Structures are given as structure tokens and as C-alpha cells.
Amino acid sequence: MQAGLERAARVSVVIPAYNNVRDIEATIRSVLTQDYDDFELIIADHSSADGTGEVIARFASDPRVRILEPTPSGGGAQANWNRVSQHARGELIKLVCGDDLLAPQALRAQVAAFDRHPSAVFVASRRDLVDAAGRQLLKARGLAGLTGCIPGRQAALASILAGTNIFGEPCCVMMRRAELEKAGWWDSRFPYLIDQASYSNVMVRGDVVALPEVLASFRVSASQWSVRLMRQQAEQAIAFHESFAREHPGLASRAQVRRGNLKARLMAWARRLAYLWLRRRM
């Protein structure tokens, strides 16, 4: 095939790194050691000050890896998440934050789900929660009992009713890139819910596949979970519920929105208690 006409990889894994010097190498290696090989890896450092960029540069010789110039500081998570996503060339896209890990079969399992369900725009799995050293804290979290292929509007409603993001962090999901683009890329109107809001914007465009397998690990830190953060996240969850219900008439009744709002407050308290417990363990 002539230079410049190479077929694009089917999957784009994108890593928006930021001050991840301790973990970014393990994250990158968890992508490069997948048992599925039709992927590209795009990485952009968000002007980190801790040496993250130097670690990323070690992988520049791998033909699967494309390292972008550092993203200018500012703009919050959305700036770098959008940047790496917009550089993706694959049909399917998976964003992995710079301290999370993929199971070796993650890409293969999620691509297979898209192949089984051509109507799907979004595939999610469960994940383990691990500490800074990679030790397992909680196993097989997420999805709130959802399994198989379900209508996207139903999946988005399930997350609202749960009062929390039941689909987990971006490392747990894979989306059709075209649908993420049509949805306006990553939605940071509610910064603490950038993942759930963006997922929901994609979900309503097709079906969702929920896989019960654990395909990722998410690192948690108990040191930053404050009462102030808890209140802000609950307030933003409620604002998102109200906004999303208005934007998608018929998706949720007023009673369902109120139920989700109450659960959002309860879930914020539950997370704070969980993080206090995790802090003692860590």
C-alpha cells in the first residue's frame, strides 16, 4: 500500500496524561500488551510539571504510538480529552487516563461486542478499584446489574436513577468515534460528571452493551475526598439530571428525576464514607 494511504487502525486508544509520572509507564504498557493488535495509541501530555512527558517520550519509537506536542496548560480535563480524541483515526475510541490500567483482553472483548451488536454505539465493562501501588481494594464494580445489549436511552436513564455514573471511568468504555464527535466531544458543563454526561450524549444515539467482565483497573486516592467535593459533585449531578431530562423529552419523568437527585445526594455521602474507609486501608 502506498505511503500515506495506510489503512487506519480500527481502534484508537487515547491517553490524556497530566502529572502521571509515577503511573504513566504502566498505563502505556497495559495498552501495548493487549492481545488485540488493530489499534493505534495517541498520547498528549497536558503540560505536566513532574516529568510525565519524559516518560512518554520513551515510547516514541513504537510504530503504534503517536505522541502529540504537549497540550497548552489550562482548559481543564476537557481540553486534553478533546485534543487526543479529535486526533483519533479509528472507528472506535477508548480514552484511558494516565494512571489507569487495561486488562490484556480489554480491546478484544469490547470490539467483539460491537461486532455482535452493530446497533451499539457504546460498550462498557466492570472494573477493579486499586490503590496507588496497584493493590486491589474493590473488585468488579460498575454497571448496577445491567448486562447485554440494551437501548441507549434506557441505559442513560439507569445511571440517572442510580444517582451516579454506573458505567465507570473512561478506561471502562469504548465508543464509536463518529458518535462522540456528533455529540460534541467531551461535555464539561458539569466538570465532575464529564464522563457520565459525555457517555449519555452518545448513548441516546444507539444501543449500549454492558459486559460483566472486569476489563480495567481504576486507581483511587482517598486524600482528596472532602466534604466540599462531596457537595459539589452532588450539586452537579442534580444539575446534569435536570438538564439532560430537558434536552431529551420523554426520557425521564419528573418523579424519576427527583428520585435520581435524591440518590445523587445519598451516593455522595456513601462515596465519602467509602473513601474514609479506603484512607484507613491505604
Side-chain angles (χ1 to χ4, degrees), residues 7-14 36-42 64 88-94 107-108 110-111 114 174-175:
R7 183 185 66 84
R10 186 170 184 199
V11 178
S12 294
V13 180
V14 299
Y36 174 91
D37 60 10
D38 193 6
F39 73 89
E40 63 172 355
L41 174 58
I42 302 167
R64 298 167 294 178
R89 298 175 295 197
E91 168 198 353
L92 305 172
I93 187 168
K94 185 176 188 68
L107 299 186
R108 174 174 52 80
Q110 292 190 315
V111 169
F114 278 108
M174 184 179 286
M175 295 180 276

Side-chain angles (χ1 to χ4, degrees), residues 14-108:
V14 299
I15 299 179
Y18 178 65
N19 285 343
N20 300 126
V21 67
R22 182 188 62 191
D23 303 312
I24 188 67
E25 180 173 356
T27 298
I28 294 172
R29 292 194 184 282
S30 79
V31 177
L32 297 180
T33 55
Q34 290 291 299
D35 63 10
Y36 174 91
D37 60 10
D38 193 6
F39 73 89
E40 63 172 355
L41 174 58
I42 302 167
I43 313 171
D45 177 38
H46 202 166
S47 297
S48 297
D50 66 348
T52 295
E54 287 81 354
V55 177
I56 293 170
R58 298 173 193 165
F59 296 88
S61 63
D62 191 306
R64 298 167 294 178
V65 177
R66 189 151 40 106
I67 301 172
L68 307 182
E69 289 295 316
T71 302
S73 59
Q78 184 191 41
N80 210 19
W81 289 28
N82 276 348
R83 184 161 181 249
V84 289
S85 298
Q86 289 165 4
H87 275 81
R89 298 175 295 197
E91 168 198 353
L92 305 172
I93 187 168
K94 185 176 188 68
L95 187 146
V96 181
C97 292
D99 54 357
D100 297 332
L101 301 167
L102 298 185
Q105 73 278 22
L107 299 186
R108 174 174 52 80

Side-chain angles (χ1 to χ4, degrees), residues 159-174:
S159 207
I160 289 174
L161 292 175
T164 189
N165 173 16
I166 64 174
F167 299 100
E169 298 72 31
C171 60
C172 304
V173 312
M174 184 179 286

